[in-house]
Amino acid sequence: MALPRRRQQHHNRTRCLIPAISAVSAALVLLLFCFSFLVPSPIDIDHFHHPRHHSSMNDGVGEGNGVPVFLVPTSGGVYDRDIWTSKNAQFYYGCSNASSKFAKAEDVTHRNRYLAIATSGGLNQQRTGITDAVVAARILNATLIVPILDKKSFWKDNSNFSEIFNVDWFVSYLAKDVEIRKELPRRRGRIWTPYTMRVPRKCNDKCYTSRVLPVLLKKRAVMLTKFDYRLANKLETELQKLRCRVNYHALKFTDPILEMGAKLVQRMRMNTKHYIALHLRFEPDMLAFSGCYYGGGDKERRELSKIRRRWKTLHIGNPDKGRRQGRCPLTPEEVGLMLRALGYGKDTHIYVASGEVYGGEETLAPLKALFPNFYSKDTISSKQELEPFSAFSSRMAALDFIVCDESDVFVTNNNGNMAKILAGRRRYFGHKPTIRPNAKKLYRLFLNRENMTWGEFASKVRTFQRGFMGDPKEVRPGRGEFHENPSSCICEDSEAIAKMDLGLLKHGKGSTTTKKDTDIESEDQNMDDDLEWSDPEDYEDLSNEQGKVLYNQTGLDYDALTTEDPELDELLSD
C-alpha cells in the first residue's frame, strides 16, 4: 500500500508545480519583451560579416579575449575637412584660351590636305580619339573631317557623331583653331576614298610630321584608323590647351541627351543638397577581363572563365596577385565601407552608373544597406523617357556621364576611360572631389578589418586615400594620362592666394597654402608617363624589352599577342 501512496503524492506535487512554471515562463517572456526595447535596432547599426571573420555588435574590444570588433556606424562621424569640396580648390581654375602666338586656322591650313579619323571603343574612348584628332589635324595643318565613330566594337552602337554630339557647335567653336568639314569633298565628281593607315600609340608631333605628313602630301586625304590614345601625353603648351578647348568646350552632347541628363540631375537633387555618383564597374565581363577572384568558389571561376574565352589572346595569371597590386575593382561592399570611413553617412544619396552587376542584388545588398538612398537612371526615370536612348549604349552612357559630371562627389572603381575623362573634366571645372580607391593599400586593409576597431579602420582609410581624392596638385604635372590630369590647362589664382594669406597674417595665422597642402603626390601614383597598366591595348604596338616587361606585368601574355583582337581593349574602356 506504501508504493501507490508515494505515486499519488508525487502526482500531486507535479500538479502544483505546473502553475508555478507557467508563471515563471510568462515573467521571462515579459522580461525579454521589455529588454528588446533597450537593444539598438538592426536598422540603426550597419553590421556586416566578412567571409573569414565575425563582427561583434559592440565597439572596442571583445569581452574577455581582447579581440577588436568591427562596428560600422550609421553616421560618417566628425571629419577634419569638408567632405563635399576639394581642399584649396578656390585657388585654381581651368584656363585653355589660346595665346596671341597661336596662329589662326585660316593662316596655317593647307588646301587639299584632309585628315579623317575612325575612332575606337565606347563613348569615352571615342571622346579621347575625337579630342586628339583635332590636335593631330592642327599638327598636320590639315582640314579635319568630322570623326567616324566605331560601330563594330564590343559596345555595338551604330550612332553617328551628330547623334551624340552637337556637330554644328563642334565645327563653329573650333573654327579659329582647325578647319573642320562634315565630310570629304567629292573628287572629280566622285566620292573620295581616303588612304587608310595607323599611327603608333602615343605618337608625338614629330611622329605625325615624319609618318603621316609625307603620305598626306602624296595622297591628300588620309584616314587614321583605330584612333584612340594615338597622341602623346606631352606636347607643347598651346597644343595641350587646344586639347582642353576640344574636350571641355567644343564637345557638347545633343539637345535630347542634355535635356534628359538635366532631368536626371534635377531628380537626384529633389530630396538632397549633395549626392555621390559611383561608377561601379563590377560587371561580369569586367571581372572576367581583369582575371580577379572574389571568393565565389568554383561557380565564380567557371562563369568568369567562360566569359574570358571571348579574348583569345588574353592570358590570366595569379588572381590574388592582381588584387594585391591594386588592379582589381573593389566589391560594392568595400566601396561602401571606404565611403563611410571617408565621412559619408547613411543618409547620403548615391547615383550608381553601372551595367549588370556580377552576383546581382545579393552583391549589391551590403552597399544598399550602408546607403539605402540608392539610385540609377532606371529608378529615377520611366521606361518611356529612356526609350529614345535605351537601344544605344553610347547615348545611355552619355546620360550617366552627365549625372556623374554634375555630382558633388564622383567615385570611380576602375581607372578606365570614363573615370579618366571625368577626373580631368572635374579638375578643370573647379576640382570637384573625385575619389579613386587606393586599391593596392585598401585591399590589405579590407582583409584585416575584423582585427581592428572601426576607428582604426577609418583612420587608415583616410590616410591611404590622401592623393586619391581629386585635390589640386595631388598629381605632378605631366604624370598619367593628359585627359585625366590636364595640368597645362589648370591655372593658379595668385590674387586669391595673396588675399587669403594677407587675411590670415592680419589675424596672426600662417598661410594655408603650403606646399604640403597643395603639392601632394601619393607614392602609389607611380605609373609610367606613357604606359598605363589599366588599358591592355596601350601595349599593342610595343616591341622593345621595356614594353614586353610592362605588358607581362599586367598579367597578359605579350608573346601570345600575334594578331589584333578587336574586342581586347574594350572592357576597361568605359
Side-chain angles (χ1 to χ4, degrees), residues 283 316 463 535:
E283 295 90 347
I316 300 299
T463 299
D535 186 346

Side-chain angles (χ1 to χ4, degrees), residues 78-348:
V78 179
Y79 202 6
D80 59 357
R81 58 176 286 172
D82 181 355
I83 60 176
W84 298 107
T85 61
S86 291
K87 193 173 184 180
N88 295 324
Q90 70 271 27
F91 301 128
Y92 301 89
Y93 63 94
C95 53
S96 60
N97 291 337
S99 74
S100 58
K101 297 178 182 179
F102 196 65
K104 299 291 187 286
E106 59 187 17
D107 298 328
V108 297
T109 304
H110 291 258
R111 304 303 166 196
N112 293 321
R113 197 183 284 187
Y114 298 98
L115 181 68
I117 297 292
T119 63
S120 179
L123 174 70
N124 296 291
Q125 191 171 344
Q126 291 178 357
R127 191 179 186 115
T128 64
I130 294 166
T131 298
D132 292 348
V134 175
V135 180
R138 175 73 190 208
I139 291 171
L140 296 167
N141 293 324
T143 296
L144 177 68
I145 307 303
V146 169
I148 298 171
L149 303 188
D150 186 354
K151 300 178 182 180
K152 298 180 180 179
S153 71
F154 172 83
W155 305 103
K156 302 290 187 299
D157 189 322
N158 62 2
S159 299
N160 295 319
F161 186 101
S162 60
E163 293 172 307
I164 297 176
F165 301 105
N166 186 328
V167 66
D168 293 326
W169 173 264
F170 178 75
V171 173
S172 62
Y173 189 91
L174 296 169
K176 293 181 180 179
D177 298 313
V178 174
E179 290 193 9
I180 304 175
R181 291 179 60 114
K182 293 182 180 180
E183 57 185 19
L184 270 171
R186 287 180 172 267
R187 193 179 191 188
R188 301 187 186 95
R190 297 180 180 178
I191 295 175
W192 193 352
T193 302
Y195 179 84
T196 61
M197 61 180 294
R198 187 180 300 178
V199 293
R201 308 281 286 184
K202 315 291 184 180
C203 193
N204 61 20
D205 49 352
K206 292 181 180 179
C207 170
Y208 277 91
T209 54
S210 64
R211 288 174 179 258
V212 183
L213 186 56
V215 181
L216 192 57
L217 292 174
K218 183 178 180 181
K219 302 293 185 178
R220 299 193 175 183
V222 169
M223 173 175 283
L224 301 179
T225 61
K226 206 169 179 64
F227 197 82
D228 62 326
Y229 296 103
R230 303 288 167 172
L231 190 63
N233 276 328
K234 297 178 181 178
L235 299 171
E236 61 176 87
T237 300
E238 289 295 342
L239 293 178
Q240 299 287 55
K241 286 184 177 290
L242 174 56
R243 259 177 164 167
C244 294
R245 290 198 292 281
V246 180
N247 200 358
Y248 306 134
H249 298 285
L251 273 179
K252 287 176 60 176
F253 292 121
T254 59
D255 288 343
I257 292 175
L258 289 176
E259 290 166 7
M260 187 63 212
K263 286 181 182 178
L264 296 176
V265 173
Q266 182 184 20
R267 288 167 189 173
M268 283 302 300
R269 296 202 182 278
M270 284 174 62
N271 299 313
T272 183
K273 183 179 179 182
H274 303 292
Y275 74 89
I276 292 175
L278 167 61
H279 191 214
L280 193 53
R281 277 317 251 137
F282 207 72
E283 295 90 347
D285 44 15
M286 174 66 218
L287 302 187
F289 185 88
S290 69
C292 301
Y293 175 68
Y294 291 92
D298 291 339
K299 181 176 182 290
E300 178 184 326
R301 293 188 182 93
R302 187 168 56 251
E303 290 174 346
L304 298 185
S305 177
K306 185 178 180 181
I307 299 172
R308 199 173 295 129
R309 295 191 197 109
R310 177 187 302 162
W311 302 282
K312 297 178 182 178
T313 58
L314 186 60
H315 170 72
I316 300 299
N318 185 343
D320 290 332
K321 183 179 180 182
R323 286 273 276 173
R324 288 196 305 271
Q325 293 179 343
R327 294 205 305 266
C328 298
L330 303 187
T331 68
E333 179 184 16
E334 290 168 346
V335 172
L337 291 172
M338 176 192 72
L339 290 176
R340 183 60 49 81
L342 291 174
Y344 300 98
K346 191 169 185 176
D347 58 345
T348 300

Side-chain angles (χ1 to χ4, degrees), residues 41-47 73-76 340 343-350 367-374:
S41 167
I43 297 175
D44 298 326
I45 296 178
D46 292 318
H47 176 216
T74 58
S75 71
R340 183 60 49 81
Y344 300 98
K346 191 169 185 176
D347 58 345
T348 300
H349 289 234
I350 291 187
L367 176 59
K368 286 185 175 182
L370 280 164
F371 297 98
N373 297 306
F374 187 93

